[in-house]
Amino acid sequence: MLVTLCGGVGAAKFLQGLVAVVDPPSVTAIVNTGDDLVLHGLMISPDLDTVTYTLAGINNTETGWGIVGETWRTMERLGQLGGASWFSLGDLDLATHLFRTELRRGGATLTAATAALTAALDVPVRLLPVTDDPIATKVTVADGRVLDFQEYFVKHRHALPVTAVHVEGLDVAHPGPQVLKVLGEARGIIIAPSNPVVSLGPLLGVAGVTEAVIARRDHTVAISPIVGGAAIKGPAADMLQALDGSSSVVTIAERYRTLASTLVIDTADAHLAGAVGEAGMVPVVTNTIMETPAAAADLARAVLAVLP
Ligand code: FO1
């Protein structure tokens, strides 16, 4: 069994490549839930949905989130009524949130609701929310305001300088029922090229998860989300610059060296391979930019080649 630690878009693309080169049921994805929100009374899990839609082959490749061929009539009507429409929920995507919310109100855990959703969409990979307990990523911005993650990310287009990130609920959150077990049993653990601060940070902060990954360090490979000092998508580079004082593959190595033995970096960063080694991780240099499913499959092959 292979376990991938996942945020949203970058992880979803990687998983798409991985399932092209291994038997999909042998893959388990543990997914961040710190981005989750309740809006219009609906329970929304953006990272779980991005991974689900991508593996179901119905993702919107232009936005990176949501469903292909989406329409927005409900949002338009909601806007006309004066309702909150800053977080765009497409007409098809809304069905996911209705389905999940109804199950959860009936007593299902997020893990169970996710299993029902992925089964209905024929997703061949097991998706595990990192926790069934509510956790919520909060972002402190330069003027001192503490924003909910989606307010920072979507409403303010992740343009505000960040001074701190914390995750509410981590002190009482338990890992999902199968999370520690699969980490202990995995043939290999792959840290996807997701934002280390706001995607993997909350996931690794759930009780026991970091310790379980450290215990499997020799079987764990991380893929850098930073290429040439910049993030492929989103605010990872700005956040690392603000919080760690730098944003290179070496910054990633410094964050991940206790968790993973190997760091996969892009050919654009080949000149930093030595510095990654000095930071305590074995560097592997390859193309990490997943412009096509074929490129994602090549990256997955490169990762598999370094797993024991
Ligand atoms: N991202 C946006 O930039 N704008 C949106 O309006 C938006 C809506 C949205 C709805 C459902 C969903 O699952 C994801 C959505 N996202 C949107 C993406 C989401 O904010 C991000 O993917 C993250 O949470 C960061 O990983």
Side-chain angles (χ1 to χ4, degrees):
M1 189 220 330
L2 291 165
V3 172
T4 305
L5 307 184
C6 300
V9 182
K13 279 190 182 175
F14 175 74
L15 284 168
Q16 202 175 28
L18 187 62
V19 298
V21 298
V22 299
D23 188 28
S26 71
V27 177
T28 297
I30 300 177
V31 184
N32 171 44
T33 55
D35 295 11
D36 291 14
L37 68 162
V38 176
L39 198 59
H40 320 299
L42 299 174
M43 296 177 185
I44 304 166
S45 294
D47 284 350
L48 280 165
D49 291 344
T50 297
V51 171
T52 300
Y53 295 157
T54 304
L55 291 172
I58 58 170
N59 58 307
N60 182 334
T61 50
E62 273 165 38
T63 54
W65 50 270
I67 297 180
V68 66
E70 188 59 278
T71 54
W72 305 96
R73 296 193 65 196
T74 309
M75 278 291 116
E76 281 159 22
R77 187 77 182 131
L78 190 61
Q80 286 161 9
L81 295 173
S85 56
W86 59 272
F87 194 77
S88 303
L89 297 168
D91 301 327
L92 302 175
D93 188 32
L94 274 166
T96 298
H97 313 309
L98 291 167
F99 183 78
R100 174 188 295 118
T101 304
E102 183 70 1
L103 285 174
R104 302 259 344 255
R105 293 253 157 80
T109 60
L110 182 57
T111 299
T114 303
L117 196 56
T118 51
L121 292 174
D122 291 329
V123 171
V125 166
R126 175 166 51 165
L127 301 197
L128 299 178
V130 65
T131 177
D132 282 334
D133 299 319
I135 59 171
T137 303
K138 305 281 175 179
V139 179
T140 308
V141 294
D143 63 11
R145 274 180 300 162
V146 179
L147 304 176
D148 293 340
F149 177 76
Q150 297 296 350
E151 262 190 298
Y152 157 78
F153 194 88
V154 173
K155 202 187 262 181
H156 297 285
R157 298 168 194 264
H158 50 78
L160 300 175
V162 172
T163 57
V165 172
H166 72 280
V167 185
E168 271 181 17
L170 274 185
D171 49 339
V172 287
H174 300 282
Q178 295 145 74
V179 166
L180 298 184
K181 185 170 182 286
V182 299
L183 287 171
E185 291 173 354
R187 174 170 83 79
I189 299 172
I190 303 161
I191 302 179
S194 299
N195 186 316
V197 180
V198 290
S199 296
L200 294 170
L203 183 155
L204 290 164
V206 173
V209 173
T210 285
E211 292 77 0
V213 180
I214 289 174
R216 307 299 314 286
R217 183 180 185 274
D218 292 345
H219 292 72
T220 303
V221 178
I223 305 164
S224 175
I226 295 290
V227 173
I232 304 210
K233 196 173 192 297
D238 289 344
M239 285 187 163
L240 288 170
Q241 195 69 47
L243 302 177
D244 294 10
S246 62
S247 70
S248 76
V249 291
V250 183
T251 323
I252 302 297
E254 281 160 358
R255 278 198 170 239
Y256 287 161
R257 63 184 159 200
T258 60
L259 301 167
S261 49
T262 304
L263 182 64
V264 179
I265 62 174
D266 192 74
T267 45
D269 291 311
H271 60 290
L272 293 172
V276 167
E278 279 160 29
M281 295 185 82
V282 176
V284 168
V285 181
T286 190
N287 173 33
T288 64
I289 300 178
M290 297 176 281
E291 254 166 7
T292 60
D298 287 343
L299 177 59
R301 274 190 210 94
V303 169
L304 293 174
V306 295
L307 284 172

